[in-house]
Structures are given as structure tokens and as C-alpha cells.
Amino acid sequence: MGWNSWNHFRGRVDDATVRAIADAMVSSGLKAAGYTYVNIDDTWEAGREASGRILTNRKFPDMKALADYVHGKGLKLGIYSSPGHLTCAGYEGSYGHEDQDAKTYAAWGIDYLKYDWCGAGRIYRDEEMQAVYQKMGDALRASGRDIVFSLCQYGRSTVWAWGPQVGGNLWRTTGDIGDNWDSMTRIGFGQDPLAAHAGPGHWNDPDMLEVGNGGMTNVEYRTHMSLWALLAAPLLAGNDLRSMSPDTLAILANRGVIAIDQDPLGRQGHRVRADESTEVWQRPLASGAHAVGLFNRGASPARVDVRWSEVGLTGKHVVHDVWSDSGRGSFEGGYAADVEPHGVVLLRVER
Ligand code: GLA
């Protein structure tokens, strides 16, 4: 859990902004809710000095000092690179300097690397991807620092089959998310076939959150957050934490939803049933309870039901509404709810 600069700031991220985001992560209560990583995406890089050591551009005058600042808040700092000559935004990549860059990140105090294929496509074939990611995975392991390794190659070459082997802790499963209903739902509801590949230490990554960026309604952002929680997805906020509305904060910080996302069993949820406009999803939890999402993808209100038999349950079960943190009672056979257009009713169901 954490934050990443790309979705909101693109190339306009700098040292002062990252510090202010770290401040806001603490003061807003998001740190207390579990958000930890403050991740700088593309556009921090300059060229290299004669020795080959990577340089930061003038937006980031002192990366070590920035890491110290972020660590001083009890948070962690992430960075970004590409295995190619150039990153997606055309900045310096790690090609030919993998070991050196991993050591530099470690010396700065970096805790997380997002490694984005992009420019690597010009020099490597897709069949070489695994070896290319292995190279940086080995370099990070040899760096002397515990650095989360985030693979970003848009879900190509069945990355979920080899991601853990190269040291990957998460891997993108899709192209970039956009701050709109179509993009979010195409990605989120498309993750069902990958459920078996996620587990503790190695996760499917359906991309960063758009919650609070303005392109969707709060109803839609609750659907976004609920889906990502059922998917055991990394929760990387992508909005400006310095100026969140109370609604945005309430969506990002909902304790019950976060508990589902971070459930220690680490099983990714799956689709139980779908029709033209509604979907039912289920995720088993460590306590023996189940998270169940009743989704309405349609434009008019819908009654969505779940039968206990289709989620592998029998007898009477207690139903808790997660977003409102309220008990709904005890039900035999199943449960049904009215779900608003583009909305969700997220449940915790337990014996
Ligand atoms: C790619 C990635 C994005 C972001 C940009 C930065 O598009 O998928 O998440 O990192 O590059 O240039």
C-alpha cells in the first residue's frame, strides 16, 4: 500500500511535492490506515556521470536526503526505471547499468523499484523479458537492501508464470489505467483468469488507483476500491493527497475494505457469476469468512443476489456491509441487495 506520482502528476513531480505527499500521508491518517510506500514514477532521471552512476535531474537535487525525510516519517521511498536505454517518458534507463543502479538505489535508501519495459522493446525481444527482469532482480538482491521489485510490462509474455522466479513482488497485468469507468472496469473485471497466480509476496497488479482524480463519481470510485480489494491488488493511491475531499479520504481509508485487500490468506478473489449488467465476486479470508461483492455495471438500479450454495456455503450466515460498517443480520440460503448504477454492495459473510 502506498502512493505513486504518475496518475495525477505525470512529469510534474519533484522533491518538494514528494515531501508534501509524505506529510499528507501521515496527517490525513492514510499512514495509520496502512499506506506506506511513497513512489516516484518516471521523470526523475538525468544522464550519467563519467563513472556511469545515474544522476537525478534538478527536480530531485538530493535523493538520499529525500529518502531520509520520507523514512523520518515512518514511510518508504520508491523509484522507477526501465531495462531499456530510455524510460517511457524518454528519460535515462538502466540498460547496461543494472548492478550499478541497484547499488545506487540501495545507497540512497530506496525501498521499491518499478521497472518499466517501455524503451526495452527497442533492444530486446519479448522472449528475452524474463532474463531481462532476472538481471535486475539479481542486482536488487545483491544490493544489500530489501527493495520491493515491481514488474511493469503490461501483462505480456504471461508474466504471472515467471514473475516470482525473477524476484518480482508484483507485476502489472494490463496496460495503463485511465481515470474513467470504461478503463477501470475493463481492467478490474478482467482479472478473474489470473486469480491463481497471486499469493503472499507476489501479486497481480491491475495498476494504480485513480480514486480522487476526478474522472469518476464517488460511487464508481467505491466500485474501483472494492474490486481492487477483492483482487488482493496493491493499493497505490494515485491522487493528490495534499488536497483530498473527505469523500476521497473515506474511500481510500475505509478500514474494512483495506482489511479485505490486505487479508493475510492472500487469496485473490474470483468471479462467481455475471449477467448483462451485474456481477458477483467472492474472496475467501483468513478468518474463514468470505468477502462478497455485488456489482451493478449497468445504468439503472439492480437487485443483485448471492446464494450461499454458489459461494460454497451452507446454513445460516451473518452478513456485514463493509462500506457502512454495519450488520445486516443473519441469513439462510443467501442475501440480496439493491445496488445503485455503477455501484457495489461489499459484504463480509461469516458463520
Ligand atoms: C508506462 C507505465 C505507467 C507509467 C509511465 C511513465 O506507461 O505503464 O504506469 O509508469 O510509463 O512514463
Side-chain angles (χ1 to χ4, degrees), residues 6 41-42 80 88-89 114 116 152 154 172 176 207-208:
W6 187 254
D41 206 280
D42 206 351
Y80 165 103
C88 279
K114 172 175 170 182
D116 189 357
C152 177
Y154 336 114
R172 282 271 296 277
D176 291 10
D207 208 359
M208 304 166 295

Side-chain angles (χ1 to χ4, degrees), residues 130 149 151 158-171 202:
Q130 181 173 350
F149 191 23
L151 279 46
T158 58
V159 59
W160 37 85
W162 50 264
Q165 265 163 265
V166 302
N169 301 112
L170 61 158
W171 47 82
H202 54 91

Side-chain angles (χ1 to χ4, degrees), residues 42 80 82-93 95 116-129 132-133 153-154 156:
D42 206 351
Y80 165 103
S82 170
H85 290 292
L86 294 178
T87 67
C88 279
Y91 289 71
E92 185 81 15
Y95 179 77
D116 189 357
W117 187 247
C118 240
R122 299 207 193 119
I123 44 179
Y124 298 116
R125 287 171 296 121
D126 273 20
E127 299 73 63
E128 295 172 284
M129 252 183 205
V132 169
Y133 276 91
Q153 39 77 289
Y154 336 114
R156 276 154 55 180

Side-chain angles (χ1 to χ4, degrees), residues 3 12 19 52 116 121 130 142 146 152 163 184 212-213 232 250 258 316:
W3 173 89
R12 299 181 315 277
R19 286 174 194 245
D116 189 357
Q130 181 173 350
D146 195 5
C152 177
M184 184 278 286
N213 279 334
I258 289 173
K316 254 192 169 181

Side-chain angles (χ1 to χ4, degrees), residues 270-288:
H270 65 277
R271 176 185 286 114
V272 174
R273 171 166 41 94
D275 65 20
E276 258 160 52
S277 60
T278 71
E279 302 216 6
V280 177
W281 284 64
Q282 173 194 23
R283 177 174 175 187
L285 304 174
S287 65

Side-chain angles (χ1 to χ4, degrees), residues 14-331:
D14 59 13
D15 178 285
T17 307
V18 172
R19 286 174 194 245
I21 292 288
D23 293 347
M25 194 177 272
V26 176
S27 63
S28 64
L30 285 181
K31 181 192 173 209
Y35 292 81
T36 304
Y37 289 88
V38 179
N39 293 347
I40 304 163
D41 206 280
D42 206 351
T43 78
W44 62 267
E45 314 87 336
R48 294 181 182 276
E49 61 186 28
S51 68
R53 194 178 148 94
I54 184 77
L55 294 166
T56 56
N57 59 40
R58 56 167 197 257
K59 296 191 299 168
F60 291 92
D62 187 342
M63 204 57 99
K64 171 87 173 70
L66 179 56
D68 289 346
Y69 183 84
V70 170
H71 292 156
K73 304 244 137 195
L75 301 170
K76 297 185 173 187
L77 186 65
I79 212 166
Y80 165 103
S81 189
S82 170
H85 290 292
L86 294 178
T87 67
C88 279
Y91 289 71
E92 185 81 15
S94 290
Y95 179 77
H97 296 274
E98 294 82 358
D99 290 323
Q100 198 175 18
D101 283 358
K103 291 210 173 67
T104 302
Y105 304 152
W108 284 340
I110 297 296
D111 305 292
Y112 184 117
L113 173 68
K114 172 175 170 182
Y115 206 42
D116 189 357
W117 187 247
C118 240
R122 299 207 193 119
I123 44 179
Y124 298 116
R125 287 171 296 121
D126 273 20
E127 299 73 63
E128 295 172 284
M129 252 183 205
Q130 181 173 350
V132 169
Y133 276 91
Q134 183 80 58
K135 195 174 213 175
M136 185 52 96
D138 292 345
L140 291 175
R141 198 169 306 130
S143 74
R145 194 172 168 88
D146 195 5
I147 299 177
V148 171
F149 191 23
S150 160
L151 279 46
C152 177
Q153 39 77 289
Y154 336 114
R156 276 154 55 180
S157 301
T158 58
V159 59
W160 37 85
W162 50 264
Q165 265 163 265
V166 302
N169 301 112
L170 61 158
W171 47 82
R172 282 271 296 277
T173 57
T174 72
D176 291 10
I177 193 169
D179 184 18
N180 62 81
W181 171 253
D182 283 346
S183 169
M184 184 278 286
T185 52
R186 201 180 328 112
I187 290 177
F189 289 114
Q191 300 298 303
D192 180 58
L194 302 180
H197 300 284
H202 54 91
W203 309 100
N204 290 311
D205 173 13
D207 208 359
M208 304 166 295
L209 297 171
E210 292 284 10
V211 175
N213 279 334
M216 290 182 255
T217 65
N218 287 326
V219 169
E220 293 170 335
Y221 283 138
R222 271 193 290 277
T223 296
H224 182 9
M225 187 80 181
S226 303
L227 251 178
W228 266 234
L230 286 163
L231 293 171
L235 296 180
L236 292 170
N239 60 312
D240 187 347
L241 305 186
R242 301 169 304 182
S243 55
M244 280 180 287
S245 71
D247 282 337
T248 294
L249 179 60
I251 293 169
L252 290 173
N254 185 290
R255 292 298 202 276
V257 180
I258 289 173
I260 292 171
D261 180 76
Q262 296 286 308
D263 184 76
L265 189 59
R267 293 264 302 276
Q268 180 172 326
H270 65 277
R271 176 185 286 114
V272 174
R273 171 166 41 94
D275 65 20
E276 258 160 52
S277 60
T278 71
E279 302 216 6
V280 177
W281 284 64
Q282 173 194 23
R283 177 174 175 187
L285 304 174
S287 65
H290 292 260
V292 173
L294 307 176
F295 293 94
N296 178 7
R297 298 179 67 169
S300 35
R303 184 133 185 105
V304 187
D305 73 306
V306 55
R307 292 180 296 280
W308 296 158
S309 58
E310 64 185 340
V311 289
L313 307 177
T314 53
K316 254 192 169 181
H317 287 269
V318 176
V319 173
H320 192 86
D321 182 278
V322 179
W323 279 106
S324 64
D325 191 18
S326 55
R328 287 286 179 263
S330 184
F331 296 84

